Amino acid sequence: MTDYGHDLLFGVFATPVAQQARQVVDLAVTADRAGLDLVSFQDHPYQPSFLDTSTLLAFTAARTERIHVNANVASLPLRPPAVLARAAASLDILSGGRFALGIGAGAFWDGIAAMGGRRLSAAQGVTALGEGIEIIREIWDTDATGAVNYDGRYYSVKGARRGPRPAHDIPIWVGAYKPKMLALTGGVGDGWLPTIEYLPRGADSLPELNARIDAAAHDAGRDPAAVRRLMNFMNVQFSSAPRGLLNGPSEAWVDQIAELALGHGVSAFIIGGDDPSMTQRFGAEIAPAVRAIVERERRPAAPDRTQGEA
Amino acid sequence: MVMEIGIALDVSRLAHAPQETVALARLAEERGLDLVVVTDGTAQRTTGLDPWTAAVWLAGSTSRITIGAPAGGTSPPDPTDPEAPYPKVQAKAEDSLDILAPGRIISNPAGWVVAPPDAKPEDLAGAAESDLPVVVPVHSREDVERLAALVAGRDDRAGVRRRPAAVRAHRKPGIDYDGVPASLAETVVEPGDPPYRALSSTYLRGGGPGLVLRPRTPAEVSDAIGFARRHRHLPLGIRSAGHGISGRSTNRGGLVIDLGAMNTIEVVDPARRLVRTGPAATWKQVAAALAPHGWALGSGDYGGVGVGGLATAGGIGLLSRNHGLTIDHLRSVDLVLADGRQVQASREQHPELFWAVRGAGANFGIATSFEFEVDEVGEVGWAQLALVSTDIEQSLRRYGELASAAPRDTTVFLVTGQPRDGLSTVQLFAVVDNPDPDIVVARLTPFLELGMLARQQVVMTPYAGVMGSAADVGPDGQHGFGEPNSRSAFVPTLTPEFARDAAAMLRSGAVYFFELRAMGGAIADVAPDDTAFTHRTPAFQLAAMGQNDKRLTAVWEPLRRHFDGLYLSFETDRSPQRLLDAFPAPVLERLRALKRRYDPDNLFRDNFNIDPTGDPAAVQEARA
Ligand SMILES: Cc1cc2nc3c(=O)[nH]c(=O)nc-3n(C[C@H](O)[C@H](O)[C@H](O)COP(=O)(O)OP(=O)(O)OC[C@H]3O[C@@H](n4cnc5c(N)ncnc54)[C@H](O)[C@@H]3O)c2cc1C
């Protein structure tokens, strides 16, 4: 049993289709009204049918009131770290602290190259991401004196100005699957943001992958609980009979999510599907029920005693 | 002169007092000011917001007002510089904001003039001489109110609204936007207008026209043509339902005359089954309108195609073997000619023009109304079969025999693509124009030997059911992108050699879509010189589409010896030789003489252009 004790977050993963820009923004508004915590968009700048993710994040944040927004996840090879940091901090300020930074090392190198980016091997990409995260945190750190100077293998800058300073501590969530990326996540990330369908054995992979992150955190002298575990679920559906993970009646969803929270330490549940009514049900039926179960289970010993007295 | 006046908000202010500053933008919108721009006066300090993010936020926080968003620099990308944005990513960001807030964004910082904070009305007027919007830096609600009071009661030009600078910023060179005829001003769409994206692409082609004219009446079509005559230097596309392949009904930077509003269908004379349709009606709509009368008018095989493009070219369809081509039912057509004149062409009036329109119509004018004599057609057998073939050569050969030998009531089209692991999926689309299900089954059964039956759907339905499956075009318009690469030919008889060579072409992988349309029957009842569509006797029409035009040409050329002429609608090759394939020399000469008479300056040239001069060099030039 693993539980890092984070408060639970529920969100949607909306496909940023340019032809359906209105529906995309409307889905975020629906999620906001449904009381969900997160709305996120994938970031593939080389995909011509998609909207620019940074622009969409700022636009939807302006159109919503409470919900937090994040890229799921930003493609660092096409989002230079200082540019990304300033856009993130700016949106955090404007939205009153409703921004989280999802980030990844990049995939689809042909597309990246076509937009003017550089091709990196997977290993190089991990190092570059580590450097990028350092630079991002430097830019945000307006308490430090002097300009930002950085001389890395993949990025270097002299005399970059700091700021703006975010409205809150923006968490950095890393999209990671392979050992080196998981190690980076445990070493410097505030969160791990994979997609369950891409894990080699689905939820069964969680103990092993969590353990890698925990080990890297320990090695870096950090508490593993400093790394929130988030999860995207793409193939989800409400159906009358239980057919699989998040594909069944709402009671099954609730049990499955509570089990992932209490058994595997997953504390953020982000669903795809681009479906307004599913989004509403996720907020109205699933989130409160899961929260109730997890709260009850987390309460130390007390429930037992109550039962004993009854 | 009409000024656009707005406010400038600095990124450092936005950083220090975000809510209050955003509230100033909302106030400006409420007070009827025209724009709010983000300025970056803090270049060297640490506290300003990212101007782009701030501008996007303001766009999302307001609903009408124009937003001036200073886009990042366009220096070449440097992947090692963490501060250097990628120009292509930034360009995409600008494009995306335009989609999210259509017609409201100016992303060129030279797109406005900044006046001093204490500007007087004279100063504003002076700054506006540049014809750019003028903004004044503001720091408080009072500043906004003061500015709003200054410009209150501006004399907005009566009648036609002048487009805001955010829209004008998208204008393309060489177009007299301010000279659009008054009758069209209300409906015309230019690149910055919100409906533009839904009108720029067609079913199979991406585009970005400089102006879309949307006439609603023949008189307005005449005005649109007059405007186009003043823009002979630009491409001109004529669009009905936007399913053109050979017909370039969209383009880049040119004009499009979109007849979308002219789509009515009415019965003129029930006794004679005379029906009138506008050019933009789709065949799905026509079929649905005729079904309650027990009538049908053969069209093609896809209900999304429009009357305008098909009924000026031919119309080889699933009723053709029993009822002839679509143009064979045309009794008269209303046209607006290149000089703006409105004429009606029929066997009695302008008979030469009537001949030309039926096969080469796109060269002679814009058809604004068609009168057809339609057929009594009851329920038909409508079959969609998928068969898996291990030997596509043999299947093609056998199909050729069966489809040609079938009685007239049976028209079967065959679609296939590249074989995978030696297996070809052969789709058959068949109409049996007979209400007796037993006969339908009997007619179709022989075709089952073309492969292993994988899927079948056979229904008895009015012809409307055959056309009905086509998707309707929604408010976002059509989503074609790039250019289709397509080849077209008539196959006089489907010989074993043709089957062999066609199978080789399919195996090459250069063709992803291959369709044989069975002809014969009633098509051949009409004399070749009756219409400009002269190819009355071939057994099949062949269309092949490929991803890559060079590869497509390479695999297509070896088949040429099996062909005799082509149906223009499926041909995208614009070499002059193709014109002679579509129109044999004497026909072409007759058409050219008419072109000289009706369109001597070659205004209509977006679809198998017949150059009036007949000079091959000019043909080349028209292609450029
Ligand atoms: C999926 C599909 C299936 C098809 N199946 C068949 C078929 O089975 N049989 C068949 O015969 N054809 C078929 N076609 C070809 C079709 O008939 C032509 O592409 C036709 O031009 C499309 O007409 P439209 O009005 O939809 O196209 P548009 O793109 O609006 O117009 C195409 C061209 O037609 C000309 N044109 C359009 N409107 C007018 C007008 N009012 N006056 C004068 N000229 C005009 C212009 O040159 C224009 O560029 C098919 C096409 C597609 C895309």
Side-chain angles (χ1 to χ4, degrees), chain B residues 203-204 238-245 247-249 259 279 299-302 304-310 312 314-317 361-362 365-367 370 413 517 567 569-570 606-607:
Chain B
Y203 185 69
L204 288 174
I238 310 302
R239 185 186 305 163
S240 286
H243 279 60
I245 302 169
R248 271 78 178 170
S249 55
L259 305 160
S299 45
D301 58 18
Y302 187 65
V305 168
V307 171
L310 183 137
T312 48
I316 304 171
I366 297 183
F370 297 79
F413 291 179
R517 289 179 171 82
Y567 177 43
S569 287
F570 292 101
D606 73 341
N607 193 0

Side-chain angles (χ1 to χ4, degrees), chain B residues 212-213 215 221 224-225 228 236-240 255-259 366:
Chain B
V212 182
L213 298 151
V221 171
I225 289 175
L236 170 64
I238 310 302
R239 185 186 305 163
S240 286
L255 307 183
V256 167
I257 298 179
D258 184 318
L259 305 160
I366 297 183

Side-chain angles (χ1 to χ4, degrees), chain B residues 399-412:
Chain B
Y399 162 76
E401 291 162 7
L402 293 169
S404 308
R408 284 187 170 212
D409 63 9
T410 301
T411 307
V412 183

Side-chain angles (χ1 to χ4, degrees), chain A residues 18-23 25 44-59 61-64 76-84 86-91 93-96 98 113-118 135 139 142 153-165, chain B residues 11 14-19 22 26 40 42-64 77-90 92-102 104-105 197-198 201 475-480:
Chain A
Q19 293 281 3
Q20 281 149 21
R22 225 171 317 139
Q23 290 93 312
V25 175
H44 298 291
Y46 34 79
Q47 168 55 264
S49 64
F50 284 180
L51 293 162
D52 173 60
T53 302
S54 296
T55 303
L56 182 59
L57 286 168
F59 195 85
R63 286 277 154 104
T64 51
L76 183 71
L78 289 173
R79 305 281 179 193
V83 177
L84 187 58
R86 294 199 181 106
S90 299
L91 185 47
I93 291 167
L94 289 162
S95 66
R98 292 195 281 128
M115 294 297 277
R118 70 182 148 190
I135 293 169
I139 296 283
T142 53
R153 193 161 344 150
Y154 296 100
Y155 294 105
S156 58
V157 67
K158 270 207 170 61
R161 63 198 169 111
R162 293 177 184 275
R165 180 200 190 98
Chain B
V11 289
L14 276 157
H16 286 127
Q19 310 309 338
V22 172
R26 290 215 186 87
D40 186 358
T42 60
Q44 295 317 313
R45 294 216 306 277
T46 60
T47 48
L49 292 194
D50 167 46
W52 179 255
T53 305
V56 176
W57 179 272
L58 291 172
S61 303
T62 52
S63 55
R64 171 197 61 80
D78 174 2
T80 66
D81 181 353
E83 295 190 279
Y86 289 94
K88 283 188 181 169
V89 176
Q90 183 57 34
K92 177 167 180 144
E94 289 169 32
D95 202 41
S96 295
L97 187 54
D98 251 331
I99 294 173
L100 290 163
R104 298 179 51 208
I105 307 302
R197 273 171 210 274
S201 294
D476 294 333
Q478 307 198 89
H479 305 323

